[in-house]
Amino acid sequence: MLSISRLITTRKALPLPRTVRSLSTLSSYPNAIKPSKAEVQNSQLSPENLEIAIRSLYHDGLVVVNDVVPHDMLDRLNEKMIQDAHTLFARKENSPFNYNPNNIQQDAPPLQEYFEPQIFMNSIATQITSTALGPKPKWTFCSGNTAMPPTPEFPPESQPVHSDADFHHPDHPFALVINVPLITMTPENGSTEVWLGTHQDTGLHMQEGLHGERASGRIKTDELEKRRAVRSPCQPVVPKGSVVLRDLRLWHAGIGNKTDSVRVMLAMIHFAPWYRNPMKLQFCEDLKTTLEQQEHLEILVEWESKENITQQYLNRAFGNAYDFSQGGQEKKADIEDI
């Protein structure tokens, strides 16, 4: 049985407090939303649950929504991605690893055969991002993080605590990461360590390593200790079928997998409609109709033939090769005096 201290916290909608409580009184574990059957069937949260999601993102920088992705869809994709994960891991020092060899960045096959809208364009997740960031957020990043089982050569090893916002960035919300675990994530198989609330104060002065280095965005040791004294980190259990929404600025770390099973977690990023990130997705042209039918996201895509995609998707860029900034346009917009 799972320890209660490891479980995410399910909250009910409550009146907003008149004053924000001291951080020391807040739980280290994220809020979780359990949608009703009607909400899942309608692919839309109730106003009460949407309020919990937005409040959690504002205060904690992260929220979990349970039971919104069918398990059979996850199982089918997981089978394929485990095969691909072993192919990538076998490349050793040439694998697309982030910080350490057991944590590899891995793209899902961007083909119609493996593309399920309920996984990659989950309507409830998009409802939350479009409420938090503005209508029709931009989807320009789609990849994943895989925690490989330990081997004699590569025992379990964790990433340093870091922020993905390793560049000059706005101090207000501009990007949300949507994580979809393909199996239940636990501390044993490498559930991500999260430092709730750190999205509100995560400037470059707290980081080590410049963007472009393989291990950039690391949070300085003294900053970690100061934060730990206020609100400690956690490794929550995230049930299969859940989606996790995380502010891009939040401190986190991939933790080593101590089990014998590969643990795959997808990662999509939605940027605010005003945010000028220049990246584009690379998808097979057989997905055109599926993506063009949706109305709630701006999806920037470079279309590729099935032959090219099949040959290339395991050889994509990884880590800091992706630039989540505004392409050098991060300076403040000119504001005229009134």
Side-chain angles (χ1 to χ4, degrees):
M1 182 176 293
L2 297 174
S3 168
I4 293 297
S5 64
R6 292 176 175 177
L7 296 177
I8 47 186
T9 306
T10 302
R11 298 284 176 85
K12 296 180 180 179
L14 298 172
L16 290 176
R18 292 181 180 272
T19 58
V20 178
R21 293 176 294 167
S22 167
L23 284 177
S24 61
T25 68
L26 297 178
S27 170
S28 294
Y29 287 82
N31 291 337
I33 296 168
K34 169 69 174 174
S36 66
K37 289 184 178 179
E39 288 173 291
V40 174
Q41 289 172 353
N42 295 328
S43 299
Q44 189 171 39
L45 293 178
S46 66
E48 292 82 5
N49 276 334
L50 185 58
E51 175 200 355
I52 295 171
I54 298 304
R55 187 182 348 140
S56 300
L57 286 171
Y58 178 80
H59 287 294
D60 296 338
L62 187 143
V63 68
V64 181
V65 187
N66 292 332
D67 299 327
V68 293
V69 183
H71 288 198
D72 58 335
M73 296 180 181
L74 296 170
D75 291 340
R76 185 168 175 276
L77 181 60
N78 191 47
E79 182 180 1
K80 172 60 175 172
M81 292 193 69
I82 287 176
Q83 294 173 1
D84 288 348
H86 286 298
T87 298
L88 293 172
F89 189 65
R91 297 176 184 177
K92 297 185 177 181
E93 67 274 7
N94 294 317
S95 71
F97 67 85
N98 286 321
Y99 297 100
N100 64 70
N102 288 78
N103 189 293
I104 59 176
Q105 183 170 330
Q106 178 184 0
D107 286 12
L111 301 155
Q112 180 74 48
E113 179 183 359
Y114 296 102
F115 189 92
E116 294 286 354
Q118 286 176 268
I119 296 177
F120 293 95
M121 299 187 299
N122 186 274
S123 297
I124 287 178
T126 302
Q127 179 193 14
I128 296 170
T129 62
S130 61
T131 302
L133 300 173
K136 293 198 73 169
K138 297 176 182 178
W139 179 25
T140 65
F141 178 84
C142 183
S143 190
N145 302 99
T146 299
M148 298 298 294
T151 66
E153 185 178 5
F154 298 119
E157 187 178 0
S158 298
Q159 297 177 343
V161 180
H162 63 280
S163 169
D164 291 336
D166 61 348
F167 52 90
H168 178 67
H169 57 268
D171 57 6
H172 50 87
F174 65 94
L176 293 173
V177 182
I178 301 170
N179 288 133
V180 181
L182 301 190
I183 62 174
T184 294
M185 292 198 304
T186 68
E188 289 73 27
N189 69 13
S191 176
T192 305
E193 179 183 280
V194 293
W195 295 61
L196 300 183
T198 54
H199 64 301
Q200 296 179 340
D201 188 15
T202 184
L204 296 182
H205 66 285
M206 296 184 174
Q207 301 179 18
E208 296 176 321
L210 300 174
H211 179 77
E213 298 178 7
R214 189 156 195 160
S216 67
R218 303 181 305 279
I219 305 301
K220 296 177 180 178
T221 301
D222 59 337
E223 298 292 347
L224 290 175
E225 295 311 309
K226 285 190 289 186
R227 182 66 189 183
R228 195 186 302 274
V230 175
R231 192 176 186 185
S232 58
C234 76
Q235 266 188 281
V237 172
V238 181
K240 182 179 178 180
S242 304
V243 296
V244 182
L245 291 96
R246 168 175 63 85
D247 192 299
L248 187 75
R249 300 167 294 168
L250 193 77
W251 300 0
H252 62 286
I255 303 299
N257 182 354
K258 304 177 184 69
T259 73
D260 295 329
S261 300
V262 176
R263 189 237 67 203
V264 181
M265 179 182 71
L266 302 178
M268 286 73 71
I269 301 179
H270 291 184
F271 291 96
W274 50 264
Y275 191 79
R276 301 175 298 280
N277 180 262
M279 295 191 304
K280 290 187 178 181
L281 301 166
Q282 289 182 315
F283 282 153
C284 181
E285 55 194 8
D286 65 4
L287 280 168
K288 267 190 177 182
T289 301
T290 300
L291 269 61
E292 289 173 352
Q293 285 177 343
Q294 68 79 38
E295 301 175 349
H296 304 294
L297 289 170
E298 181 181 356
I299 306 177
L300 306 178
V301 184
E302 292 179 351
W303 300 106
E304 297 281 352
S305 68
K306 188 170 185 177
E307 180 181 5
N308 286 346
I309 282 290
T310 302
Q311 294 175 351
Q312 296 173 6
Y313 80 92
L314 290 183
N315 300 305
R316 294 271 178 81
F318 61 95
N320 282 318
Y322 289 97
D323 188 353
F324 300 151
S325 74
Q326 298 195 80
Q329 302 182 60
E330 303 93 337
K331 61 183 180 181
K332 294 181 179 179
D334 293 332
I335 301 176
E336 295 182 359
D337 293 333
I338 298 177

